[in-house]
C-alpha cells in the first residue's frame, strides 16, 4: 500500500496504517535526533515523542506537505527541546546539519548504508569495537573509555580514524558500483 | 584560536559524539564558516554519521515500531480487509497446501509454525516483510527481508524506494521479480488451490513455470486479474490502471469491475482501466536495442543532456562535474571536447541559450549556476545565492530571462526567475512544499510549469509570478515537466512510474500513460507535437503516439536512463544515465 493510502487510513485512526507509514522514516528520525542531541538515549526519546505527536496531529498533515519533511520538523522541535541546557546550535554547524538531512526520505543515504554494511565488516580490533559500542549500543565515549580502561582522547582518536577509514571505503564502494 | 582542518575534523568527532565543550564548538563553527573545503568535508562526515546512525536504527526498527504502536493512544483498529472468518479459512487452506506440497526442498521441519510457500531469493535496498503473527492478530509485524528467508501465506513483501527490489521463488521455480516502490501479498484467497499473488502497488515481472492443470497461478491487482498457466509476463499497477505485457505464452485477463475477459498472447499487452474503456490486447511495440551511435562517457553517471539549437552538438554533464560536447553524427572514438565546469560537484542541469552561443550549467557544488561562452569556454556569469542543489534550468526565447530551480537544499522550494542583463531576480516563486525537479515554459512564455518533490506540478503566470493552479494526481515526486508545442498540453513524469497529460486550459488530467517500471526521469515532446518521448530508470526510452496514447517504439538502452534530449528537428534522440555511455537513436 502506498504512503498516501496509509496516511489516509492513519487520519481515520488506523494505528497500524500510521505505524507502517512511519516505519521507513524511523532510522532518519533517530539519526537526526542524535545529530542534534549528541546522545543515543535522548535520540530515542525524540523518536518516541515525534511519533506520538505525529499520530496526534496527523490531521494537520495536508496533502501538499511531504510526510518525511513534516516528521523531521516535529523531530527538530523535540530534539532542540531535549538539548535543554546545552548551548544553542551554531549557525555554520546547523547549516551543514540541515543540508545533510534536507532529504528526509529513507533512500537519501541508502547507497551509503548499503556500502557501509560491507565496510563495517572490514573494521578490526578496537576500531570495530568502539564503532559498535558507540553507534550500535549507543554508548558515550566516556563510558567506552572507562569500560576499556582507555584514555578518552585515545577513544576519540580511534573513532575519528575509524570514521575516516569507513568514509574512504564507502567512497570507493560507491565509485565501484557506478 | 585558529584551527587546522585536521583539528576541525577531530572537533567534529567530539560534536557528533556529544562530547564537545562550548568554547570548542564556537571555535569549530567559526572555522567552518570560513573554510569551504572543511564545510564540504563536514558534509561528507555527517552523511557517514547519518548512514551509520540509520544503519544502527534499522537493526532496531522492528522493536521500535512495535513499541511505538503499543504507545499510541486510543483503541487499535482491526484491518478492514481481514475479517476473522477469512483467517480461519486461511488456516484450513494452509494445512491443505502443506499436505499437498510436502516435497518442498526448503521445508524446515515440524518446528515451522506455518507452511513455507516461497522463498526470498535476493533483495536490494530497503525491503520488508509484513507478516501476521497469528490468526488472532489483526496487526502485521514488519521485519527486514533477507535472501533465504521463508515466506508464508498472507506475507506481504514491500520494497521501499526507487533503489529497492526483491526476487522471490516458489518451489516449482516460478520466479517473481518485484520492482521498486511495490507492495505484493501472497495467497490471500483461501479458495484458490494454486499460487495467488496480489500486486497492490508498483510492478513485478513473473517467470511462471507450467502450472498443474486446473490450478493456474493468479496475479491480481485492484483493477485486473490475470490467470497464468506458464509464461513470462510483466505487470505494472498504478492507481488508474493495470498493464500486462506478455513475453511468452498466453494469459487470461479479467477486469474486476465488470468481469470483462480477454486472452492476451505472447507479443501483446493489455491495459485495464475503468470500464467502459476497452481492455482488448494490442501488439507490443517494436523493441529497439541497437542505437545508431554509442558514445563512451568518462563520467560514472550522466545526469544532464541538451542539444544545441542547431542540433549539431550534444552537451552532457554528470557526476565528475565536467561538461562534454559531442558530435551526434560523429563516431564513437571522437576526441574529448570538455569544459571542467564544476570541479567540486556534479552537473545536474544544462540549458543552451536560444542563440546557441552560450550554455548554462547547474551543479551540486556551492549552489552555483555558470553560463559559459562557447567560443572561448569561459564562464561569463556565475549566479549564486540560491542555496539549493540545482536540477532545472531554462532560458526564455529572449535569452535574458532565465529560470533556476533545485530539488534539495534550504532554498529548494523556491524557483527563481532571473534577468541576466540587469542581473536581478524578477520573481521568486515559493509554492512547492519541497524541492523542484523540473521547469518548462509554454511556447508563448506566458506560463511557467514546475514539477516538485511534493508530487504536484504547478502553473505560474510569468508576468506576475502568481500561482494559477496545481496539478495533483501523481503518487510520487514529479521528476520532469514539458509543454506541447501547441501550448495546449502539459506532460508530467513521476517517481510513480507514470506519465500524465493535462489540459492547460482547464488543469484537468487527460490520460495516464502506463508502461515504465521505474522512475520516469525525463520527458520531451517531439517538435511536431504528435509524440512524447520518455526516459526511465527501467532502462528504456519510449516514443508515445499522442493520437492513441500507445508506444510506437521502445528503445532499450540497457542502463537506467536519467536524462534524454531531442534535436530541434525531432529526428534524433539521446539517452544517458547510469551506464557510462550515451546512446544516439534515430526516431521514425
Amino acid at each position: 500500500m502506498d504512503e498516501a493510502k496509509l496516511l489516509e487510513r492513519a487520519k481515520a485512526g488506523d494505528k497500524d496504517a500510521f505505524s507502517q507509514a512511519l516505519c521507513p522514516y524511523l532510522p532518519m528520525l533517530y539519526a537526526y535526533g542524535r545529530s542534534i542531541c549528541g546522545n543515543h538515549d535522548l535520540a530515542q526519546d525524540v523518536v518516541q515523542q515525534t511519533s506520538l505527536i505525529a499520530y496526534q496531529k496527523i490531521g494537520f498533515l495536508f496533502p501538499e506537505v511531504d510526510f518525511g519533511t513534516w516528521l523531521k520538523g516535529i523531530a527538530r522541535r523535540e530534539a532542540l527541546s531535549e538539548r535543554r541546557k546545552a548551548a544553542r546550535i551554531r549557525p555554520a554547524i546547523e547549516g551543514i546539519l540541515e543540508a545533510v538531512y534536507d532529504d528526509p526520505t529513507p533512500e537519501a543515504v541508502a547507497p551509503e548504508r548499503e556500502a557501509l554494511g560491507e565496510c563495517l565488516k572490514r573494521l578490526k580490533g578496537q576500531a570495530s569495537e568502539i564503532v559498535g559500542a558507540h553507534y550500535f549500543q549507543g554508548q558515550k565515549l566516556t563510558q567506552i573509555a572507562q569500560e576499556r580502561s582507555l584514555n578518552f582522547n585515545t577513544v576519540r582518536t580511534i573513532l575519528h580514524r575509524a570514521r575516516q577509514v569507513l568514509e574512504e571505503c564507502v567512497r570507493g564502494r560507491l565509485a565501484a558500483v557506478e | 584560536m585558529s584551527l587546522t582542518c585536521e583539528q576541525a575534523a577531530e572537533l567534529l568527532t567530539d560534536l557528533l559524539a556529544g562530547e564537545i565543550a562550548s568554547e570548542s564548538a564556537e571555535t569549530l563553527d567559526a572555522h567552518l564558516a570560513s573554510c569551504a573545503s572543511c564545510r564540504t568535508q563536514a558534509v561528507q562526515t555527517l552523511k557517514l554519521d547519518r548512514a551509520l546512525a540509520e544503519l544502527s536504527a534499522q537493526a532496531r526498527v522492528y522493536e521500535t515500531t512495535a513499541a511505538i504502536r503499543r504507545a499510541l493512544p486510543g483503541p487499535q483498529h482491526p484491518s478492514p480487509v481481514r475479517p476473522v472468518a477469512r483467517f480461519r479459512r486461511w488456516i484450513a487452506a494452509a494445512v491443505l497446501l502443506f499436505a499437498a506440497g510436502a516435497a518442498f526442498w526448503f521445508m524446515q521441519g515440524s518446528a515451522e509454525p506455518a507452511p513455507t510457500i516461497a522463498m526470498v531469493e535476493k533483495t536490494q535496498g530497503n525491503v520488508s516483510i509484513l507478516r501476521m503473527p497469528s490468526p488472532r492478530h489483526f496487526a502485521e509485524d514488519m521485519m527486514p527481508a533477507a535472501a533465504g528467508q521463508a515466506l508464508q501465506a498472507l506475507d506481504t513483501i514491500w520494497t521501499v524506494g526507487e533503489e529497492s527490489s526483491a526476487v522471490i521463488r516458489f518451489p516449482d521455480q516460478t520466479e517473481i521479480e518485484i520492482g521498486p516502490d511495490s507492495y505484493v501479498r501472497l495467497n490471500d484467497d483461501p479458495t484458490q488451490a494454486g499460487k495467488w499473488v496480489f500486486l497492490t502497488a508498483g510492478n513485478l515481472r513473473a517467470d511462471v513455470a507450467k502450472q498443474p492443470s486446473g490450478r493456474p497461478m493468479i496475479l491480481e491487482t485492484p483493477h485486473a486479474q490475470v490467470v497464468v498457466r506458464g509464461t513470462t509476463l510483466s505487470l505494472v499497477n498504478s492507481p488508474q490502471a493495470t498493464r500486462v505485457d506478455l513475453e511468452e505464452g498466453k494469459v487470461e485477463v479479467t477486469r474486476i469491475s465488470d468481469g470483462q475477459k480477454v486472452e492476451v498472447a505472447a507479443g501483446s499487452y493489455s491495459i485495464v482501466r475503468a470500464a467502459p474503456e476497452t481492455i482488448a490486447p494490442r501488439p507490443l511495440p517494436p523493441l529497439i536495442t541497437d542505437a545508431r551511435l554509442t558514445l563512451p562517457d568518462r563520467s560514472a553517471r550522466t545526469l544532464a543532456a541538451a542539444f544545441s539549437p542547431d542540433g549539431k552538438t550534444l552537451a552532457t554533464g554528470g557526476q565528475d562535474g565536467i561538461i562534454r560536447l559531442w558530435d551526434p553524427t560523429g563516431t564513437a572514438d571522437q576526441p574529448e571536447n570538455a569544459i571542467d565546469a564544476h570541479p567540486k560537484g556534479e552537473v545536474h542541469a544544462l540549458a543552451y541559450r536560444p542563440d546557441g552561443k552560450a550554455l548554462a550549467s547547474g551543479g551540486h557544488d556551492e549552489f552555483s549556476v555558470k553560463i559559459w561562452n562557447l567560443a572561448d569556454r569561459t564562464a561569463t556569469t556565475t549566479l549564486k545565492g540560491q542555496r539549493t542543489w540545482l536540477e532545472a534550468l531554462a532560458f526564455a526565447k529572449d535569452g535574458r530571462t532565465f529560470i533556476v530551480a533545485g530539488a534539495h537544499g534550504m532554498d529548494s522550494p523556491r524557483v527563481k526567475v532571473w534577468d541576466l542583463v540587469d542581473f536581478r531576480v524578477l520573481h521568486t516563486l515559493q509554492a512547492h512544499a519541497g524541492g523542484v525537479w523540473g521547469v518548462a515554459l509554454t511556447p508563448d512564455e506566458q506560463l511557467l510549469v514546475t514539477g516538485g518533490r511534493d508530487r504536484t506540478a504547478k502553473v505560474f503566470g510569468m508576468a506576475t509570478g502568481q500561482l494559477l493552479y496545481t496539478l495533483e494526481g501523481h503518487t510520487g515526486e514529479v521528476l520532469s515537466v514539458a509543454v506541447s508545442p501547441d501550448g495546449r498540453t502539459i506532460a508530467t513524469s513521476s517517481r510513480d512510474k507514470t506519465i500524465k497529460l493535462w489540459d492547460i486550459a482547464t488543469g484537468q488530467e487527460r490520460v495516464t500513460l502506463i508502461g515504465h517500471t521505474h522512475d520516469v526521469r525525463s520527458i520531451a515532446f517531439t517538435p511536431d507535437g504528435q509524440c512524447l518521448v520518455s526516459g526511465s530508470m527501467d532502462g528504456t526510452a519510449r516514443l508515445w503516439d499522442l493520437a492513441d496514447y500507445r508506444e510506437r517504439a521502445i528503445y532499450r538502452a540497457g542502463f537506467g536512463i536519467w536524462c534524454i534530449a531531442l534535436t530541434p528537428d525531432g529526428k534524433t534522440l539521446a539517452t544517458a544515465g547510469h551506464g557510462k555511455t550515451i546512446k544516439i537513436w534515430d526516431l521514425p
Side-chain angles (χ1 to χ4, degrees):
Chain A
M1 189 173 299
D2 74 8
E3 187 177 274
K5 289 213 168 81
L6 285 171
L7 291 174
E8 219 174 276
R9 284 169 59 178
K11 286 177 185 176
D14 187 335
K15 291 203 289 185
D16 301 319
F18 174 78
S19 301
Q20 283 184 30
L22 175 71
C23 182
Y25 296 99
L26 289 176
M28 179 277 297
L29 291 175
Y30 167 79
Y32 185 58
R34 190 175 160 282
S35 67
I36 292 179
C37 300
N39 182 296
H40 163 78
D41 295 324
L42 292 180
Q44 292 197 304
D45 289 344
V46 166
V47 170
Q48 288 280 355
Q49 279 301 108
T50 300
S51 307
L52 273 171
I53 292 168
Y55 180 72
Q56 287 162 348
K57 304 286 185 191
I58 193 73
F60 291 93
L61 175 64
F62 299 115
E64 60 269 19
V65 175
D66 174 68
F67 185 49
T69 305
W70 184 70
L71 285 173
K72 200 188 79 171
I74 299 172
R76 181 181 159 76
R77 282 198 302 276
E78 294 307 303
L80 288 175
S81 169
E82 290 287 351
R83 271 174 73 91
R84 287 193 193 118
K85 292 176 187 168
R88 62 179 176 83
I89 305 178
R90 273 77 179 183
I93 294 167
E94 182 170 21
I96 291 165
L97 205 102
E98 289 307 317
V100 168
Y101 284 90
D102 181 70
D103 181 354
T105 57
E107 46 276 14
V109 289
E112 282 83 358
R113 284 212 316 254
E114 201 164 317
L116 249 183
E118 289 304 311
C119 292
L120 280 168
K121 292 175 192 171
R122 294 193 183 178
L123 270 187
K124 304 284 179 215
Q126 278 186 331
S128 172
E129 284 172 25
I130 288 171
V131 166
H134 185 57
Y135 281 100
F136 291 82
Q137 292 162 40
Q139 290 184 355
K140 292 179 77 70
L141 299 190
T142 39
Q143 183 184 357
I144 295 171
Q146 273 168 14
E147 285 184 5
R148 286 163 178 74
S149 303
L150 291 172
N151 183 278
F152 172 85
N153 283 336
T154 303
V155 170
R156 186 182 76 171
T157 303
I158 292 173
L159 182 63
H160 174 62
R161 284 294 307 141
R163 239 210 294 268
Q164 285 179 323
V165 166
L166 288 172
E167 261 182 68
E168 275 172 38
C169 176
V170 166
R171 202 178 305 130
R173 286 201 148 257
L174 291 180
V177 163
E178 281 148 6
Chain B
M1 168 192 162
S2 64
L3 294 176
T4 64
C5 288
E6 179 68 15
Q7 287 170 330
E10 285 176 359
L11 281 181
L12 192 60
T13 296
D14 292 349
L15 178 84
L16 294 173
E19 308 264 15
I20 194 170
S22 177
E23 205 178 273
S24 299
E26 201 75 55
T27 306
L28 173 62
D29 190 77
H31 179 83
L32 289 172
S34 64
C35 177
S37 64
C38 285
R39 275 200 308 278
T40 304
Q41 180 55 46
V43 166
Q44 297 308 315
T45 301
L46 250 89
K47 234 180 156 185
L48 179 80
D49 184 77
R50 174 178 172 177
L52 268 169
E54 286 197 17
L55 200 62
S56 73
Q58 185 65 40
R60 300 185 301 272
V61 76
Y62 169 53
E63 57 198 77
T64 306
T65 310
I68 288 168
R69 196 192 292 118
R70 283 193 296 272
L72 293 179
Q76 190 164 0
H77 290 253
S79 165
V81 299
R82 295 185 198 89
V84 173
R86 292 181 80 185
F87 283 120
R88 290 181 183 150
R89 287 189 291 162
W90 166 77
I91 293 281
V95 169
L96 278 174
L97 276 174
F98 185 94
F104 282 0
W105 56 267
F106 49 71
M107 289 293 266
Q108 300 296 309
S110 57
E112 281 296 313
T116 297
I117 62 168
M119 195 166 77
V120 177
E121 176 97 340
K122 62 180 172 186
T123 66
Q124 181 174 317
N126 188 348
V127 183
S128 297
I129 295 173
L130 285 72
R131 173 173 294 168
M132 207 65 59
S134 83
R136 292 172 186 242
H137 281 73
F138 293 102
E140 291 162 320
D141 288 334
M142 185 172 353
M143 63 198 90
Q149 195 158 0
L151 295 169
Q152 305 166 7
L154 278 188
D155 276 354
T156 299
I157 300 100
W158 184 12
T159 58
V160 180
E162 63 189 283
E163 303 285 339
S164 301
S165 63
V167 176
I168 64 172
R169 188 184 291 276
F170 290 82
D172 66 354
Q173 304 307 301
T174 291
E175 188 177 279
I176 305 236
E177 194 179 319
I178 303 169
D181 286 320
S182 300
Y183 201 87
V184 170
R185 191 159 65 208
L186 306 179
N187 270 59
D188 195 22
D189 188 341
T191 64
Q192 292 295 327
K195 297 181 207 46
W196 191 95
V197 173
F198 193 92
L199 175 69
T200 311
N203 66 283
L204 60 83
R205 186 174 175 278
D207 195 350
V208 182
K210 190 162 163 47
Q211 299 300 292
S213 176
R215 290 168 54 193
M217 178 169 193
I218 308 290
L219 297 172
E220 190 165 317
T221 74
H223 307 288
Q225 189 182 79
V226 184
V227 178
V228 188
R229 291 173 178 84
T231 189
T232 301
L233 66 113
S234 162
L235 194 65
V236 182
N237 185 57
S238 79
Q240 291 79 25
T242 292
R243 174 167 165 161
V244 183
D245 283 29
L246 250 293
E247 295 175 31
E248 292 176 6
K250 62 182 176 186
V251 298
E252 183 184 87
V253 176
T254 302
R255 178 159 53 202
I256 289 175
S257 61
D258 63 4
Q260 187 180 353
K261 289 185 203 293
V262 290
E263 200 162 82
V264 183
S268 305
Y269 73 101
S270 169
I271 296 184
V272 181
R273 299 185 198 268
E277 284 204 43
T278 179
I279 63 172
R282 308 157 178 177
L284 283 171
L287 179 65
I288 298 163
T289 55
D290 292 328
R292 170 166 60 77
L293 177 63
T294 298
L295 299 165
D297 194 357
R298 291 212 183 116
S299 182
R301 292 187 298 173
T302 312
L303 304 166
F307 275 105
S308 58
D310 63 7
K312 292 181 180 174
T313 306
L314 172 70
T316 62
Q319 193 181 16
D320 61 4
I322 292 176
I323 296 172
R324 291 179 172 85
L325 303 172
W326 311 87
D327 175 2
T329 63
T331 57
D333 59 357
Q334 54 187 272
E336 180 153 279
N337 186 356
I339 303 172
D340 190 8
H342 295 266
K344 294 180 183 175
E346 305 175 343
V347 174
H348 276 244
L350 291 169
Y352 271 94
R353 201 168 65 193
D355 64 6
K357 294 179 181 173
L359 176 68
S361 63
H364 277 204
D365 62 335
E366 301 175 332
F367 311 133
S368 64
V369 177
K370 297 182 184 177
I371 298 179
W372 302 88
N373 179 329
L374 291 173
D376 59 15
R377 311 291 176 91
T378 57
T380 56
T381 306
T382 300
L383 302 179
K384 284 195 176 190
Q386 190 164 349
R387 295 166 298 172
T388 180
W389 287 347
L390 297 152
E391 299 289 346
L393 307 171
F395 277 99
K397 289 174 189 163
D398 61 9
R400 159 178 192 163
T401 308
F402 184 60
I403 297 134
V404 178
H408 299 88
M410 288 182 215
D411 290 337
S412 61
R414 303 180 189 89
V415 175
K416 289 202 175 177
V417 181
W418 286 84
D419 179 323
L420 293 178
V421 172
D422 293 343
F423 210 68
R424 64 188 178 96
V425 174
L426 296 171
H427 299 298
T428 299
L429 313 177
Q430 305 194 65
H432 276 286
V436 177
W437 283 110
V439 297
L441 282 165
T442 54
D444 62 7
E445 300 188 333
Q446 295 295 307
L447 304 176
L448 173 68
V449 183
T450 61
R453 298 187 60 203
D454 58 4
R455 305 174 186 171
T456 72
K458 293 187 186 271
V459 180
F460 297 86
M462 275 295 281
T464 59
Q466 293 296 307
L467 172 67
L468 300 178
Y469 56 84
T470 299
L471 304 174
E472 292 179 319
H474 279 296
T475 56
E477 296 179 26
V478 176
L479 300 173
S480 181
V481 295
V483 180
S484 61
D486 64 7
R488 291 183 182 164
T489 306
I490 294 170
T492 55
S493 71
S494 170
R495 192 156 271 170
D496 68 7
K497 306 167 193 170
T498 71
I499 300 156
K500 287 184 185 288
L501 299 179
W502 314 78
D503 184 80
I504 278 191
T506 61
Q508 295 299 307
E509 181 184 327
R510 199 179 291 155
V511 72
T512 297
L513 305 180
I514 177 173
H516 280 298
T517 57
H518 208 307
D519 299 354
V520 186
R521 290 217 72 102
S522 188
I523 49 173
F525 282 92
T526 55
D528 61 9
Q530 292 183 6
C531 292
L532 180 82
V533 183
S534 60
S536 166
M537 291 298 290
D538 67 11
T540 70
R542 298 183 186 223
L543 180 66
W544 304 85
D545 187 327
L546 298 181
D548 57 12
Y549 305 123
R550 299 184 195 182
E551 295 124 314
R552 275 196 202 169
I554 298 178
Y555 302 87
R556 180 166 287 166
F559 52 80
I561 295 173
W562 191 278
C563 53
I564 63 167
L566 276 178
T567 49
D569 64 7
K571 292 183 179 167
T572 304
L573 167 70
T575 60
H578 287 199
K580 286 194 180 181
T581 57
I582 297 148
K583 295 204 171 185
I584 307 292
W585 315 81
D586 290 326
L587 297 186

